[in-house]
Amino acid sequence: MRYWILALGLCWALGAQALPLVEKQRFALDSFTTQSGTTLKEVAVGWEAYGTLNADKSNAILITHFFSGSSHAAGKYSDQDPLPGYWDAIIGPGKAIDTDKYYVLSVDTLANANAFDPHVITTGPASLNPATGKPYGLDFPVVSIRDFVNVQKALLDKLGINKLHAVVGASMGSFQALDWAVAYPDKVERMVSVIGAGQMDPWTVYGLERWSDPIKADPAWHNGHYYEQGQPKTGLTKAVAYIIYDATYPDGFNSRYTPPTDAAPKSDIRAGYKSVDELMGHAAIRAHFQDANAILYLVRASQMFLAGYNGKLEDNLAKVSAKTLFMPASHDRLLVPKMARSTYETLKKLGKDSQYQEIDGVWGHLDGLVNIQSQGQVLKDFLDK
Amino acid sequence: MRYWILALGLCWALGAQALPLVEKQRFALDSFTTQSGTTLKEVAVGWEAYGTLNADKSNAILITHFFSGSSHAAGKYSDQDPLPGYWDAIIGPGKAIDTDKYYVLSVDTLANANAFDPHVITTGPASLNPATGKPYGLDFPVVSIRDFVNVQKALLDKLGINKLHAVVGASMGSFQALDWAVAYPDKVERMVSVIGAGQMDPWTVYGLERWSDPIKADPAWHNGHYYEQGQPKTGLTKAVAYIIYDATYPDGFNSRYTPPTDAAPKSDIRAGYKSVDELMGHAAIRAHFQDANAILYLVRASQMFLAGYNGKLEDNLAKVSAKTLFMPASHDRLLVPKMARSTYETLKKLGKDSQYQEIDGVWGHLDGLVNIQSQGQVLKDFLDK
């Protein structure tokens, strides 16, 4: 009897909440020309899909991923997989992004930060340059948000998906989502920008620049030629720590790390704080599969971001025909809510159908990932309208 | 006739706003024992004073300075001095801190960041270690906010000032001000904490730690032994840029730096943004007279800060007898207003006379310096009560 109840509970849980196991697929292009004017051979990226594409291919939702993320937006790779997709809370059967209704797919970006993660497929500075047989390093061309969008579009073309029910992305993913709506307005019906912005400003350019500093300052970086000797681990770990720090907020951060009551730093200038060590340990885990050069390329792609790539934001937003929803996090210190709000206000001024809903929480920028379900109903209603 | 009006105007301006020329004075101690347990010989610091000490020495206001500052809180060193004191807006005849009524003084901290500024006198890692005849470097002991307070107290003792009408400080100066009120409650009648806090948390400890990263990552730092070869300029300049950045707020920052419309970074991964160069130029000017090691020591002094030095904040605040006023900046990202607010609330809970007034503005933390006059009347009324 108890087993039966357990089994029923499990079936309910699976039915209402879990996706079938997901798998990474590979999408390759023989040739891809970047916005910076370089033609790359042998471009390949990974992608995942959840749900079923309907007959007229009109139910696709594209999820565009954030700086440190990948196309693993939802689900598990195996029953024992300890790390489900980052937006499992909102993607799945019956959830805000309902995989019973929508075919949800996501694509690894070029120069993905997690270049050495066995579940990530990306072409970036760590990839072999066909011309030399060695990793590109800094000979890899500058890649842009528009390039990420164009790789995604090539995949959709191959799948015969001519229109997206929606494109939804957080942070750097929001840059891709909004750029989609500007670049291909006839293909995007709805756009959701979570913890996003319409363009960069000097403030954010420098905030991002700082992430590259510890990598470039590490003697093991060797101007990007480190693939034979090994990663500049000290610099990479610090960069990841900066990313974690800048993406959080005091209330959440302080709940996680040890208060500074340490004795040693009070008498030894060379001693450090336990909380700093804890953060470094956390960053080292995250950095394990990451490529230091890829971080430099994603910093640049983000610094360059302007929805529409060239021109002026307002002129570019005039091209948007999608309904849009902006969901910044109230305490975001990295992409401050004002950035999303001003983009939303410009769209409204242009007479567009646009919504604005902040996500509250103690984690700042990170609330766009860990606390998105608090606005799940708003998202669901938007996707249904 | 016009000249006469001009002269009258000038007299009025001088009478109402200007201080007489100020001069740096030197205060030396033959021996000073730090909280970390080291006895230093030949400790010397600079100090300045504005206004006149009254007969019973009851009108002294001590100004404690911020991280990058010095005892030059007000006035000019010469008629042509292009850099008046940082709080000229509130210190002077008829101003919020009225030098017609009060004797206002300020003291350079130990390990002052501006160790090579001809107008700063400080004992720190760049000072000669009497034991070796060479600069201390990292052999200088860890110094704390309490040590800064105790040097100031030694000066006041020498001047015969037994009671402070008030102690007023911004940022790291607020740490000293509040520590004064806890350490010597019978000597402090009023305490004003501007853009301050009661103690550090893991969030702020790491924010400060990041300022030391570029210095330590600079190969020219040599574990602090660089005085013969010269400063680690690259690391020091980056550290100062981090300090500027963390002490500001997007609205103000973006009004000052060039928007990221640069062409070169879009096609060259090695190219940089004009706004970043501008910030580095600004930082290089500020870094000109600074000592890289001193920044490490001030980072540590700040990280260690707890009003009362040891124990628990609430127990320590129970010792305060001063009236207190907390003036955080509404948009402060470095010492978030919550830190001042919670200290104020604890004092209120303990039945103390405490006030709270935020400073608004577009500069964040920096509003405590550049926009303090917006709350000048609140400050004036507090000092008069």
Side-chain angles (χ1 to χ4, degrees), chain A residues 203 213 242 245 271 300 333, chain B residues 203 213 242 245 271 300 333:
Chain A
W203 174 267
D213 279 349
Y242 289 8
Y245 186 76
R300 177 57 53 84
R333 291 169 58 100
Chain B
W203 174 267
D213 280 348
Y242 289 9
Y245 186 77
R300 177 56 54 84
R333 291 168 58 100

Side-chain angles (χ1 to χ4, degrees), chain A residues 180-243:
Chain A
W180 254 105
V182 172
Y184 305 107
D186 57 323
K187 292 183 182 296
V188 181
E189 295 178 323
R190 289 164 198 79
M191 190 292 310
V192 183
S193 162
V194 179
I195 49 173
Q199 65 183 339
M200 294 296 96
D201 55 15
W203 174 267
T204 314
V205 163
Y206 191 69
L208 291 160
E209 182 78 16
R210 187 149 60 165
W211 298 354
S212 64
D213 279 349
I215 291 169
K216 292 181 179 174
D218 187 335
W221 178 58
H222 295 299
N223 289 303
H225 298 294
Y226 53 74
Y227 293 103
E228 287 178 18
Q229 308 97 308
Q231 288 278 335
K233 274 195 189 167
T234 304
L236 174 59
T237 304
K238 279 224 159 91
V240 174
Y242 289 8
I243 294 170

Side-chain angles (χ1 to χ4, degrees), chain A residues 203 246 248-250 331-336 365, chain B residues 203 333 336:
Chain A
W203 174 267
D246 289 336
T248 55
Y249 184 72
H331 296 114
D332 195 330
R333 291 169 58 100
L334 177 55
L335 298 177
V336 297
H365 190 68
Chain B
W203 174 267
R333 291 168 58 100
V336 297

Side-chain angles (χ1 to χ4, degrees), chain A residues 63-73 85-87 106-107 109 112-114 148 168-176 194-195 243 247 286 290 298 302 365-366 368-369:
Chain A
I63 309 292
T64 46
H65 73 71
F66 55 99
F67 192 102
S68 307
S70 72
S71 57
H72 194 37
Y86 63 87
W87 260 354
S106 188
V107 187
T109 65
N112 187 287
N114 309 286
F148 305 165
V168 184
S171 195
M172 193 184 78
S174 84
F175 301 171
Q176 298 162 62
V194 179
I195 49 173
I243 294 170
R286 290 246 315 246
Q290 297 201 350
L298 293 184
S302 300
H365 190 68
L366 212 56
L369 300 181

